[in-house]
Amino acid sequence: MSANKLTEFLAKTKLVTGSGCVEQLKYEINQNDCNTMLIVTDKGIKNSGILEKVETILKSTNVETIVYDEVKPNPTVTATDEAYNLFKDRGIKSILAVGGGSVIDSAKALSVLFTNGGSIADYFGFDIYKNDPTPLFAIPTTVGTGSEGGHAAVITEDNTELKTKKLVFGQTLFPAVAFLDGELLRGMPGALVASTGMDALTHAIEGYVSRNGSVITDALNLHAVRVIGSSILEATANTDNIEAMNKMVQASTSTGIGMANGGLGLVHGISHAIGAQYDAPHGIVNAILLPYVLEFNWIADPYKFAQVGEALRVNTWGLSVEDAAKAAVEKVRTLTKEVGIPEKLSAIGVDKENIEVLTDIAFNDELYMAPNPRKATRQDIYNILESAI
Ligand SMILES: [Fe+2]
């Protein structure tokens, strides 16, 4: 990052935070013309009881709701288009996303389709769609996506020979309001806090060392490293620890705004390739890849990596900047182990059979290659994958 570099900063989502803040949904809905509202969610959220709590709140409004609970991890063009065709004639005026990244991204994609029609594949890229999307409200139920604070939807292009993850970006694709309610997340599985929390840590670190960042995104990302580093163990161990859950969900959104404005890096480039090919869980893939990519990247900006170490409470007293940077990489590796995530991608079914394909997809993904602090060759990516598998 250079403060001299030309950047733009955009954040348009009203963030409502704190225990019980989801109750404010009533007020926000009454402020807007939301009738009829499509609730986008998944079966896990339905079974967890969270959907019921949200529906109870909505009963005290005049809004009519329709529930779509079929979102699957790594949402595809086919699934998104099917959902649109199912609801396009139902007079949907607003959308409420209740879920993790896949749900929020699906909801964003649907919000584009409801006002523009066609297939979501028609809108991959920056500001391709013409009409403003349907107003969107988001209640994140994980602590990692950051999508509730950003203006992108990640959708897997599955009707092509090679499956890849593509992004729909739009200056008007930010949710109108997001409710970051740690109390609502009480009782979620600790393993989900671990995987999604490590995704948020990945956003924070990749965003902080990104070549496209600014002083403003640095502030959002570095403090998020600090908050996640000091809360993720407690939150993983006990998701009834509401203070830790509130910190995690707010830090996660902070990284979402950071990534919308400063980009990410090679971890996401490689993990999107793996996610599309193996339908693998995004947070776990990122968490496994993170130390391997940091090990490759740190020489590009030892000072910033040393600062990441300090934010993660590494004792850097008396260390050279280079040794402090290396200690930061080791701290991330330890944290990954401590929250129960495996060290190798083979543990989640990724094998070396597809390593060439994965390497090619990641190498050709400019969205993540360009901001990565160290210039990576195709061979570098191959080597990272070989070590991580
Ligand atoms: Fe991510």
Side-chain angles (χ1 to χ4, degrees):
M1 182 275 290
S2 159
N4 297 328
K5 191 179 165 103
L6 175 68
T7 64
E8 288 183 358
F9 186 89
L10 207 54
K12 291 187 176 175
T13 304
K14 176 175 179 178
L15 302 175
V16 186
T17 61
S19 295
C21 73
V22 72
E23 289 289 337
Q24 206 171 313
L25 184 58
K26 267 183 293 204
Y27 170 81
E28 297 298 338
I29 283 175
N30 289 333
Q31 295 296 301
N32 295 279
D33 177 20
C34 293
N35 225 350
T36 302
M37 175 179 263
L38 181 68
I39 302 177
V40 178
T41 189
D42 62 31
K43 290 282 192 286
I45 295 304
K46 190 179 179 185
N47 297 335
S48 72
I50 291 178
L51 179 62
E52 204 183 326
K53 278 184 204 160
V54 171
E55 285 183 304
T56 304
I57 296 166
L58 290 171
K59 271 185 195 140
S60 60
T61 70
N62 293 324
V63 80
E64 241 178 87
T65 58
I66 301 171
V67 175
Y68 171 64
D69 60 10
E70 297 289 338
V71 176
K72 305 273 186 317
N74 300 310
T76 60
V77 168
T78 304
T80 307
D81 289 354
E82 275 174 13
Y84 167 59
N85 287 317
L86 207 56
F87 298 107
K88 67 179 178 186
D89 300 323
R90 302 287 297 273
I92 304 295
K93 289 284 190 313
S94 64
I95 300 181
L96 173 63
V98 187
S102 299
V103 163
I104 298 173
D105 285 3
S106 294
K108 283 178 173 171
L110 288 169
S111 76
V112 168
L113 290 177
F114 280 127
T115 54
N116 291 274
S119 161
I120 197 61
D122 301 335
Y123 306 108
F124 287 135
F126 286 86
D127 286 328
I128 305 292
Y129 61 81
K130 288 204 165 51
N131 304 317
D132 285 355
T134 309
L136 173 66
F137 302 85
I139 303 174
T141 60
T142 64
V143 293
T145 165
S147 181
E148 66 280 356
H151 63 334
V154 184
I155 303 290
T156 300
E157 194 165 39
D158 60 335
N159 39 17
T160 48
E161 204 178 317
L162 187 64
K163 282 189 188 177
T164 52
K165 289 197 176 191
K166 294 272 178 70
L167 279 84
V168 179
F169 284 99
Q171 298 207 28
T172 51
L173 199 48
F174 291 90
V177 188
F179 303 86
L180 316 180
D181 189 339
E183 172 74 39
L184 188 73
L185 307 184
R186 179 196 283 274
M188 75 183 266
L192 194 57
V193 172
S195 61
T196 61
M198 287 304 290
D199 185 21
L201 183 66
T202 307
H203 299 153
I205 298 177
E206 289 210 290
Y208 185 58
V209 299
S210 159
R211 284 146 49 93
N212 290 347
S214 66
V215 172
I216 302 160
T217 58
D218 278 1
L220 288 163
N221 286 318
L222 187 60
H223 189 62
V225 171
R226 195 169 286 122
V227 172
I228 295 165
S230 65
S231 313
I232 191 167
L233 294 177
E234 288 94 325
T236 299
N238 178 10
T239 60
D240 288 341
N241 183 337
I242 306 303
E243 173 78 13
M245 295 299 281
N246 272 317
K247 284 181 176 169
M248 287 297 295
V249 71
Q250 290 181 34
S252 163
T253 306
S254 174
T255 74
I257 302 167
M259 87 173 102
N261 291 285
L264 294 168
L266 258 188
V267 176
H268 273 76
I270 300 173
S271 91
H272 277 189
I274 293 171
Q277 297 302 307
Y278 288 88
D279 200 15
H282 177 74
I284 294 178
V285 176
N286 278 347
I288 296 172
L289 285 169
L290 185 59
Y292 296 96
V293 173
L294 297 184
E295 200 166 41
F296 170 76
N297 273 342
W298 77 264
I299 64 163
D301 200 340
Y303 179 67
K304 275 198 141 178
F305 275 81
Q307 287 178 316
V308 167
E310 281 169 20
L312 290 172
R313 300 196 289 208
V314 171
N315 183 1
T316 58
W317 180 252
L319 295 183
S320 66
V321 169
E322 288 75 15
D323 283 346
K326 283 187 265 188
V329 177
E330 280 317 302
K331 175 69 184 179
V332 170
R333 198 184 299 280
T334 306
L335 204 52
T336 305
K337 261 191 238 169
E338 286 169 345
V339 296
I341 287 173
E343 282 176 69
K344 296 279 183 178
L345 291 165
S346 51
I348 57 164
V350 178
D351 49 43
K352 290 192 177 164
E353 206 173 293
N354 287 325
I355 192 167
E356 299 284 352
V357 175
L358 297 173
T359 303
D360 282 335
I361 297 173
F363 182 63
N364 291 313
D365 199 337
E366 261 304 286
L367 187 65
Y368 303 109
M369 284 289 281
N372 195 66
R374 182 171 176 182
K375 288 275 180 203
T377 64
R378 189 189 177 283
Q379 187 63 43
D380 291 330
I381 295 174
Y382 183 96
N383 293 345
I384 290 168
L385 269 165
E386 196 176 42
S387 313
I389 293 173

